[in-house]
C-alpha cells in the first residue's frame, strides 16, 4: 500500500479552497441579488384617491385601524392604501387649501393598528413631490411593499392663521397638475 505524502495533500487544498470560494460567492450572489422594481413614473401612473375624511380641518386617508365605517370589521373597500415600490398616489385631501402640515404612516398590515403597527415613513419610503390646495402626491421611492395612511392638517379653522397659510402658487406651481391621475 502506498502512503500519501505531504505534497499530495497540499496539492489538493487549493482545489478545495477554490471550490469552497466559488460556493460562497454563488451563495452571496444569490442572496444579495437585487430584485429591482421599476419606480419610474411611466411604469407607475399616478393613481387618484378621493376617499378618506376631512373633519375640522384634518384629513385622514383611512382610520388608524382601517375600519373606516366603524362597524368593527375592515371590509374590502376599507383599510390602508396598498403601497408597493414605485406606487404613486394623487390623494385629494378635501381641505380646500394647502395643508400646513402632513404626516405619512406605513404599516405591514392592511388594517394598520388592528393587527399590526404604524410607523412614520422615513427617507424614500414615502416621497411627497407636490402639495397644493387639492392634492398631496405621495410616491413610494423604495422597492419595499407597505400599506399607507396619510394625515394632513389645514391648521386652525378660526381664520387667524390664513395670513400665514401657504398660497397655492407657493405649493409647487403646476407640478401637481402636470400629471394625469388614473382613477
Amino acid at each position: 500500500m502506498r502512503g500519501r505524502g505531504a505534497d499530495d495533500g497540499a496539492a489538493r487544498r487549493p482545489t478545495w479552497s477554490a471550490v469552497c470560494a466559488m460556493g460562497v460567492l454563488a451563495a452571496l450572489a444569490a442572496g444579495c441579488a437585487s430584485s429591482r422594481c421599476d419606480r419610474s413614473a411611466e411604469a407607475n401612473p399616478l393613481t387618484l384617491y378621493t376617499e378618506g375624511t376631512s373633519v375640522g380641518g384634518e384629513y385622514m386617508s383611512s382610520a388608524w385601524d382601517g375600519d373606516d365605517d366603524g362597524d368593527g370589521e375592515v371590509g374590502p373597500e376599507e383599510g390602508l392604501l396598498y403601497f408597493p415600490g414605485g406606487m404613486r398616489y394623487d390623494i385629494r385631501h378635501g381641505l380646500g387649501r394647502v395643508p400646513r402640515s402632513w404626516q405619512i404612516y406605513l404599516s405591514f398590515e392592511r388594517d394598520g393598528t388592528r393587527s399590526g403597527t404604524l410607523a412614520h415613513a422615513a427617507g424614500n419610503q414615502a416621497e411627497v413631490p407636490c402639495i397644493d390646495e387639492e392634492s398631496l402626491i405621495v410616491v413610494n421611492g423604495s422597492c419595499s411593499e407597505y400599506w399607507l395612511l396619510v394625515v394632513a392638517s389645514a391648521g386652525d379653522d378660526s381664520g387667524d392663521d390664513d395670513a400665514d397659510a401657504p398660497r397655492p402658487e407657493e405649493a409647487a406651481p403646476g407640478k401637481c397638475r402636470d400629471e394625469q391621475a388614473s382613477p
Side-chain angles (χ1 to χ4, degrees):
M1 186 180 235
R2 196 168 164 191
R4 294 191 177 169
D7 290 339
D8 189 28
R12 290 178 185 240
R13 265 186 240 127
T15 304
W16 280 109
S17 296
V19 168
C20 288
M22 293 293 283
V24 168
L25 289 174
L28 286 174
C32 295
S34 60
S35 59
R36 298 278 180 202
C37 67
D38 187 352
R39 298 172 302 187
S40 69
E42 294 78 29
N44 300 283
L46 203 54
T47 299
L48 181 63
Y49 183 73
T50 58
E51 302 300 316
T53 56
S54 291
V55 177
E58 299 280 334
Y59 169 80
M60 289 184 73
S61 59
S62 69
W64 298 110
D65 65 358
D67 183 12
D68 297 331
D69 61 10
D71 67 355
E73 296 179 18
V74 179
E77 300 297 318
E78 298 177 293
L80 279 61
L81 298 172
Y82 182 58
F83 201 48
M87 183 74 186
R88 304 159 51 79
Y89 278 108
D90 176 354
I91 297 178
R92 300 295 170 94
H93 52 70
L95 296 172
R97 58 184 170 168
V98 179
R100 294 183 57 80
S101 63
W102 51 269
Q103 200 59 243
I104 296 177
Y105 298 91
L106 300 175
S107 179
F108 292 114
E109 305 295 331
R110 181 172 86 85
D111 56 1
T113 59
R114 179 173 298 270
S115 66
T117 61
L118 290 166
H120 290 260
N124 71 342
Q125 291 176 321
E127 300 170 346
V128 178
C130 184
I131 303 171
D132 67 17
E133 71 281 0
E134 294 178 7
S135 297
L136 194 126
I137 307 294
V138 183
V139 179
N140 183 345
S142 76
C143 283
S144 297
E145 185 175 295
Y146 304 104
W147 293 90
L148 170 74
L149 182 134
V150 175
V151 177
S153 174
D156 184 4
D157 278 344
S158 67
D160 297 336
D161 63 348
D162 284 344
D164 295 331
R167 301 287 177 245
E169 61 273 6
E170 297 170 358
K175 194 170 183 182
C176 292
R177 298 300 143 243
D178 287 345
E179 304 178 52
Q180 295 298 315
S182 62

